[in-house]
């Protein structure tokens, strides 16, 4: 009986695939720059700087968020776009490490008025407006 158990133990194989080791966890995650100003709808790029055992982790693994998306939004790659005047906190995270930057959006975004459509083309074209229009 003992030899049969030893034979069965020797014949067993591990059919589960080798799993990759867990990604190391960063000990510190900073965002650069830590403070930025955006004029209107311009875009800036923030970078997550990791230190510790995960210092070489790809930027694609970093998650980004904005504390106020009505002021500024942030894309997966750390691109921040201003939406309206105000201040928001942009946070980068990788596993349990977090870092943040304050973003100030200045100069409120002003929507440009849409030109009224022209009634006809050419030098005598007039705009369709309540007061009779003007030249196109």
């Amino acid at each position: 009986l003992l030899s049969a158990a030893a034979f069965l133990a020797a014949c067993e194989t591990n059919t589960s695939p080798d799993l990759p080791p867990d990604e190391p966890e960063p000990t510190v995650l900073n965002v650069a720059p830590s403070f930025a100003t955006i004029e209107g709808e311009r875009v800036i790029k923030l970078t997550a700087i990791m230190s510790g055992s995960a210092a070489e982790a790809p930027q694609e693994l970093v998650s980004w968020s904005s504390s106020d998306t009505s002021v500024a939004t942030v894309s997966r790659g750390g691109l921040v776009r201003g939406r309206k005047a105000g201040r928001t906190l942009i946070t980068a995270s990788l596993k349990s490490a977090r870092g943040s930057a304050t973003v100030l959006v200045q100069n409120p975004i002003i929507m440009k008025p849409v030109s009224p459509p022209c009634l006809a083309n050419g030098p005598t074209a007039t705009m369709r407006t309540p007061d009779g229009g003007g030249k196109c």
Side-chain angles (χ1 to χ4, degrees):
L1 184 62
L2 191 54
S3 62
F7 176 75
L8 286 175
C11 290
E12 282 185 23
T13 58
N14 184 358
T15 58
S16 64
D18 290 332
L19 298 175
D22 286 339
E23 289 287 328
E25 193 161 321
T27 52
V28 176
L29 193 149
N30 291 307
V31 176
S34 61
F35 182 85
T37 300
I38 300 176
E39 295 292 327
E41 290 183 67
R42 295 188 189 269
V43 175
I44 60 166
K45 170 91 169 109
L46 298 179
T47 303
I49 301 169
M50 295 162 270
S51 63
S53 59
E56 299 302 317
Q59 289 286 317
E60 295 81 37
L61 296 178
V62 176
S63 297
W64 294 90
S65 64
S66 171
S67 65
D68 189 344
T69 56
S70 70
V71 172
T73 58
V74 61
S75 72
R76 186 173 184 174
L79 291 176
V80 181
R81 178 177 301 276
R83 296 188 51 137
K84 73 172 189 178
R87 182 183 302 256
T88 187
L89 189 68
I90 303 295
T91 302
S93 57
L94 178 61
K95 294 196 176 191
S96 65
R98 299 213 178 336
S100 60
T102 300
V103 173
L104 177 65
V105 179
Q106 294 182 333
N107 299 331
I109 288 97
I110 300 169
M111 300 301 288
K112 295 177 184 172
V114 177
S115 299
C118 292
L119 295 174
N121 291 329
T124 60
T126 58
M127 290 185 272
R128 192 179 330 156
T129 61
D131 63 357
K135 291 191 175 191
C136 288

